[in-house]
Amino acid sequence: MTITPSQNKTLFDYLAALLTGQLILPDDAAYESVRQLWNGRVKTRPAAIARCLTVEDVIHTVRWTREHGLPLSVRGAGHEIFGRSLRENGVAIDLSQMKAITVDPVAHTAQVQSGATAGELIGAAEKYGLATTTGTVSSVGMTGLTLGGGYGSLIGAYGLAADNLLSAQVVTADGQLITASAEEHSDLLWGLRGGGGNFGVVVSLEYRLHSLTTVLSGMLLYPLEQARTVLSNFNEFITTAPDELTIRSGFLQTPDGATALFLSPTYCGAIAAGEEVIAPLRTFGNLLVDRVQPVTYNDLIHQLNVFTPAGRHYYLQTRSLAGLQTETIEVLIEQGLPLPSPFSTINIHHFHGAASRVGVSETAFALRQDHLMIEIIAAWEPQSPDEEQRHLQWAQHISRSLAPYAFKGGYINLLDREEQERVPLAFGSNYERLLDLKRRYDPDDVFHSTIGHLTP
């Protein structure tokens, strides 16, 4: 169904009357600011945005939208690359105002509404000396992160964000509220742990928390001419890294315009032990910068926010490698550098430890062997279409060059719309089970625009 501007007001008056929250239409003064996602490159314009404040708002919106045959999408915190949370001329369920967090310090759990960010969850948990796996920046929404898997700096000790998901409340495609847990709808809980936002509107999540406040973390910078040696040493070092140590690595541009290699370790055990464990990293090359020090985990995930501001234009490609071979190191250096802008980076996530010990079939997330997930992040201030193409082509070229050495699938949270063929490969032997779940919980493919792009 297509909605013309003249039809908007009359048609949507009925939905607006059902909501506790606001219904935002294109003519409203707040529309542009509400519509905008973290990635300023996304220009999709829904016919209406339902800013839900309650679960009942979500139920009403799902039922009303389906009754009127309109496309439906779901937005959490809005920190998103490819704009899958908005559909042109559709209705967007906006959960970003639903942020309530309740921490149980005795049970070490947190109940989190679906609009909450990593920073908001960790800020609440820190008061009790607790934390869980999150993304590396505080503005990332916990719901989208978790539904796709959820890499982060605590992955070695605590597993993926999805591995810490204990239960979830979900509004289904027919507007029913159900709970997915080990006791009820356990099949759905399995699918929510890394299977994407394909089965309904997740309105709250329950997480397992761990005793943690302070970590040993920071940035080690090495000169570019030593990158081959440092990365070779790094690749050998991580094969025996303890669970408590997870290391991001990659390339960035320094304030003076030079390109540098970085290693960013995070150790979540005793600080003294961590100093001993990471000491070899300092011998891999001639350090330009050493900023590794004790820091609260809450402060750590806020530190990178300045490098990833909302509204900048972003484009991302991703590949996952079993490790760094000579050939893949050459690709990163020869094809990836120089970086196309001061804001662009190549970011390498370290997957190991507790995350690797989860069985392939235990959750929907299937890549459970030690690996490195490469993020090729193009970021720029908008100038011209030609300028945009230069950034896109840079990221795509590196991705194609890494493909012969990479696992055939990919991290579904970071796959582009044009990479649909990689989705079944990402889920591997779990894909057919996910299709069965899709047929059971969303047979009409209402949520096909959300993460994962599964079709029933």
Side-chain angles (χ1 to χ4, degrees):
M1 180 177 178
T2 300
I3 303 297
T4 64
S6 60
Q7 293 174 304
N8 272 357
K9 185 67 169 63
T10 302
L11 180 63
F12 287 117
D13 277 349
Y14 297 101
L15 175 57
L18 298 172
L19 302 180
T20 305
Q22 278 186 297
L23 187 70
I24 307 294
L25 303 179
D27 289 340
D28 293 337
Y31 179 83
E32 283 303 323
S33 61
V34 172
R35 179 203 65 81
Q36 185 62 65
L37 300 177
W38 168 76
N39 186 357
R41 183 169 173 260
V42 177
K43 303 301 184 185
T44 309
R45 296 178 63 82
I49 302 171
R51 305 204 84 187
C52 298
L53 296 180
T54 66
V55 173
E56 288 72 24
D57 283 354
V58 176
I59 291 172
H60 286 313
T61 305
V62 170
R63 291 176 176 174
W64 185 94
T65 302
R66 293 210 63 193
E67 179 184 342
H68 289 84
L70 294 172
L72 183 64
S73 62
V74 185
R75 165 183 170 159
H79 187 113
E80 195 201 330
I81 286 282
F82 296 115
R84 291 175 292 204
S85 61
L86 302 178
R87 294 184 66 186
E88 194 70 32
N89 209 40
V91 176
I93 292 177
D94 183 345
L95 304 169
S96 63
Q97 306 302 297
M98 296 175 62
K99 293 175 173 287
I101 298 170
T102 304
V103 175
D104 185 332
V106 177
H108 281 204
T109 60
Q111 195 74 38
V112 181
Q113 282 193 311
S114 50
T117 65
E120 289 160 345
L121 170 57
I122 296 305
E126 183 185 44
K127 299 172 186 176
Y128 304 98
L130 301 170
T132 195
T133 300
T134 70
T136 55
V137 296
S138 69
S139 56
V140 168
M142 285 303 301
T143 303
L145 176 79
T146 303
L147 295 180
Y151 289 73
S153 298
L154 303 178
I155 196 172
Y158 306 141
L160 292 164
D163 299 332
N164 291 280
L165 180 64
L166 300 175
S167 68
Q169 286 194 311
V170 183
V171 175
T172 60
D174 58 356
Q176 303 298 315
L177 178 65
I178 63 174
T179 298
S181 68
E183 291 74 34
E184 51 185 328
H185 299 290
S186 59
D187 57 344
L188 181 56
L189 178 62
W190 176 89
L192 296 176
R193 288 172 166 164
N198 302 290
F199 310 108
V201 185
V202 176
V203 292
S204 70
L205 310 98
E206 181 190 14
Y207 289 99
R208 179 186 299 110
L209 302 178
H210 309 268
S211 296
L212 180 71
T213 52
T214 302
V215 296
L216 182 66
S217 190
M219 190 75 73
L220 302 172
L221 289 185
Y222 308 83
L224 183 58
E225 58 267 23
Q226 296 179 10
R228 291 173 177 84
T229 299
V230 174
L231 286 176
S232 294
N233 290 333
F234 164 75
N235 190 60
E236 182 178 352
F237 178 85
I238 60 175
T239 61
T240 58
D243 290 0
E244 293 85 358
L245 178 64
T246 298
I247 309 171
R248 282 191 310 113
S249 56
F251 297 93
L252 52 73
Q253 191 173 121
T254 60
D256 62 2
T259 300
L261 171 70
F262 73 87
L263 299 182
S264 181
T266 297
Y267 187 87
C268 61
I271 299 300
E275 289 284 6
E276 291 186 18
V277 169
I278 71 166
L281 301 180
R282 295 186 166 102
T283 69
F284 288 174
N286 298 319
L287 281 169
L288 301 173
V289 171
D290 182 346
R291 292 181 180 163
V292 175
Q293 59 187 342
V295 61
T296 68
Y297 184 66
N298 190 24
D299 285 344
L300 177 66
I301 64 171
H302 282 82
Q303 287 177 358
L304 293 182
N305 288 359
V306 67
F307 302 107
T308 58
R312 184 173 286 164
H313 286 208
Y314 298 91
Y315 179 77
L316 193 147
Q317 292 277 274
T318 181
R319 294 287 176 182
S320 294
L321 310 173
L324 291 175
Q325 308 169 16
T326 300
E327 295 85 353
T328 51
I329 292 173
E330 287 302 312
V331 167
L332 293 172
I333 294 173
E334 296 298 327
Q335 309 298 327
L337 305 178
L339 299 167
S341 83
F343 317 116
S344 298
T345 62
I346 297 175
N347 192 25
I348 305 172
H349 289 269
H350 176 204
F351 185 104
H352 76 123
S356 291
R357 291 193 293 272
V358 177
V360 170
S361 62
E362 289 184 51
T363 68
F365 189 95
L367 184 55
R368 289 297 184 169
Q369 69 183 77
D370 287 6
H371 65 269
L372 299 172
M373 190 269 284
I374 317 292
E375 288 182 302
I376 307 155
I377 306 171
W380 66 98
E381 297 298 343
Q383 294 177 358
S384 68
D386 289 343
E387 179 72 7
E388 174 168 301
Q389 282 304 308
R390 183 173 69 86
H391 292 284
L392 270 58
Q393 289 168 6
W394 170 78
Q396 292 165 351
H397 177 65
I398 304 173
S399 180
R400 287 193 298 269
S401 299
L402 288 174
Y405 311 100
F407 296 106
K408 298 303 180 184
Y411 181 34
I412 62 166
N413 271 357
L414 302 180
L415 293 182
D416 197 353
R417 294 175 186 273
E418 284 71 47
E419 298 180 287
Q420 179 64 34
E421 75 283 353
R422 294 176 63 186
V423 173
L425 299 173
F427 291 123
S429 58
N430 291 334
Y431 187 64
E432 290 300 323
R433 184 173 172 185
L434 283 165
L435 291 182
D436 287 341
L437 272 182
K438 181 69 169 174
R439 297 181 188 107
R440 192 172 314 146
Y441 289 98
D442 184 19
D444 297 324
D445 199 21
V446 173
F447 300 104
H448 69 82
S449 67
T450 53
I451 297 168
H453 299 292
L454 289 178
T455 53

